[in-house]
Amino acid sequence: MSNVVNFSDYRNKLTVDSAKAMRDESTNAMRDGLIPIEFALGINDREQCLDKITQYEVRSIHVRMVNDEPGALLYLIGVSEAIWINKKILQTENISEKEVEQRIDLIQMMENMNFTQMDSLWESFSNKNEG
């Protein structure tokens, strides 16, 4: 099982119910399929991705270590969360027409992904970072 970075752990004390809900969301994300955060947001810079994820209060990122590359990590997010955050960006941010088109294309691509194939791809070159 991969480690999950829960941003809300750093903001508020969790109740038992909210902790259970977060575990359920994490399980759903893994069942849903995971993709790199850079791809999910269409942003090449990992720090910008993390800032955007924090801004929209996405609760979990799955961190995996790349095989044979000490210190190289993949930051993955559930596809449904990635689609959700892109829709929120479209609804709330003042972005260019070109970026609107790119986000719509990105959403459509994620909606049509083969999740089993994507998970197999990540497993082929990454270790699950055990905690």
Side-chain angles (χ1 to χ4, degrees):
M1 190 125 225
S2 61
N3 285 339
V4 177
V5 178
N6 292 307
F7 289 119
S8 59
D9 287 349
Y10 299 98
R11 288 194 292 259
N12 298 321
K13 190 84 172 159
L14 296 175
T15 64
V16 173
D17 289 338
S18 64
K20 181 187 179 312
M22 287 174 58
R23 278 194 308 276
D24 291 345
E25 286 176 18
S26 178
T27 301
N28 289 339
M30 292 186 72
R31 201 172 330 144
D32 176 37
L34 300 171
I35 56 175
I37 60 173
E38 296 88 348
F39 176 80
L41 297 175
I43 301 172
N44 248 351
D45 183 273
R46 180 176 289 165
E47 292 302 317
Q48 287 180 349
C49 290
L50 292 171
D51 289 344
K52 189 69 67 178
I53 287 168
T54 302
Q55 176 185 347
Y56 286 96
E57 299 180 1
V58 172
R59 293 187 179 179
S60 63
I61 294 177
H62 305 265
V63 181
R64 294 190 181 170
M65 186 169 44
V66 177
N67 289 340
D68 302 323
E69 295 291 330
L73 300 174
L74 279 174
Y75 289 72
L76 306 167
I77 188 172
V79 173
S80 60
E81 283 188 302
I83 292 169
W84 177 85
I85 197 170
N86 278 287
K87 287 180 179 180
K88 290 306 255 182
I89 290 169
L90 287 172
Q91 292 171 356
T92 60
E93 294 185 18
N94 186 16
I95 57 178
S96 70
E97 188 67 32
K98 182 178 179 181
E99 187 174 345
V100 168
E101 291 173 6
Q102 290 172 338
R103 292 221 174 266
I104 290 170
D105 288 345
L106 188 56
I107 291 167
Q108 289 174 339
M109 188 178 350
M110 287 187 286
E111 288 175 339
N112 293 309
M113 281 183 161
N114 180 331
F115 303 122
T116 305
Q117 186 177 27
M118 294 300 293
D119 287 340
S120 296
L121 176 65
W122 307 137
E123 290 301 320
S124 71
F125 66 91
S126 70
N127 290 320
K128 290 184 178 177
N129 193 11
E130 298 296 329

